Amino acid sequence: MATTEAAAHAQGDAAPLRTRLAHGVAEPTVDMNGYAVNPTVRDELIQSFDEQISQAGLTIVTDGVPTRLVFIDYKERSEVGRLILGGLGGRDHVTVEVHVGETHFLISHSGFGSMNTMDRVAQRVGSDAGVRVARLAGKPTSK
């Protein structure tokens, strides 16, 4: 019986967020957390997030559920190192903690090789963050 009550309570906590997300999501704010993040990486992260939100049928509105993307880890290879050394030059890596309403979760991706640029890594992180928020809203996603 206690398990059923706990499950009902957990669903009750999720329902208000789902309801608020149906109204819309606020444009995410980005907290660089002290990292020197390339502005194009930041822009790609937000654009990919917004695209997934829109594809899921949610809207970006000014009074929507507050959304914040906080950089937890960021490592970008130099372009010369990426092109000349490829995968031997290390990896590009981003970990972002996504805060949506009172919920938060981590998204992390890395890129190796000469074709996996930081922009592509940021695109995957932003896209995955948008998909996770859409799922919180109860929307079907293609990923």
Side-chain angles (χ1 to χ4, degrees), residues 82-131:
R82 181 178 56 81
L83 292 174
I84 293 174
L85 298 174
L88 297 175
R91 62 188 171 99
D92 292 324
H93 179 79
V94 173
T95 299
V96 171
E97 186 172 48
V98 181
H99 296 259
V100 56
E102 57 281 344
T103 301
H104 65 276
F105 51 87
L106 292 175
I107 301 286
S108 185
H109 279 286
S110 295
F112 298 89
S114 59
M115 299 307 291
N116 288 320
T117 64
M118 179 53 88
D119 290 349
R120 292 185 73 181
V121 172
Q123 181 182 31
R124 290 194 307 255
V125 170
S127 179
D128 284 359
V131 166

Side-chain angles (χ1 to χ4, degrees), residues 11-91:
Q11 287 178 347
D13 288 348
L17 178 59
R18 181 176 286 191
T19 302
R20 289 181 303 168
L21 286 170
H23 169 68
V25 179
E27 181 75 28
T29 59
V30 179
D31 180 348
M32 306 299 189
N33 204 16
Y35 291 101
V37 177
N38 185 323
T40 59
V41 170
R42 179 195 173 281
D43 293 346
E44 186 63 48
L45 184 71
I46 291 173
Q47 180 182 354
S48 297
F49 177 88
D50 289 353
E51 286 173 5
Q52 287 301 318
I53 291 298
S54 294
Q55 285 179 11
L58 295 171
T59 56
I60 303 289
V61 293
T62 55
D63 63 340
V65 176
T67 307
R68 188 167 50 116
L69 309 174
V70 180
F71 278 81
I72 302 299
D73 191 20
Y74 178 82
K75 180 179 182 255
E76 183 173 7
R77 297 174 287 171
S78 71
E79 190 160 337
V80 172
R82 181 178 56 81
L83 292 174
I84 293 174
L85 298 174
L88 297 175
R91 62 188 171 99

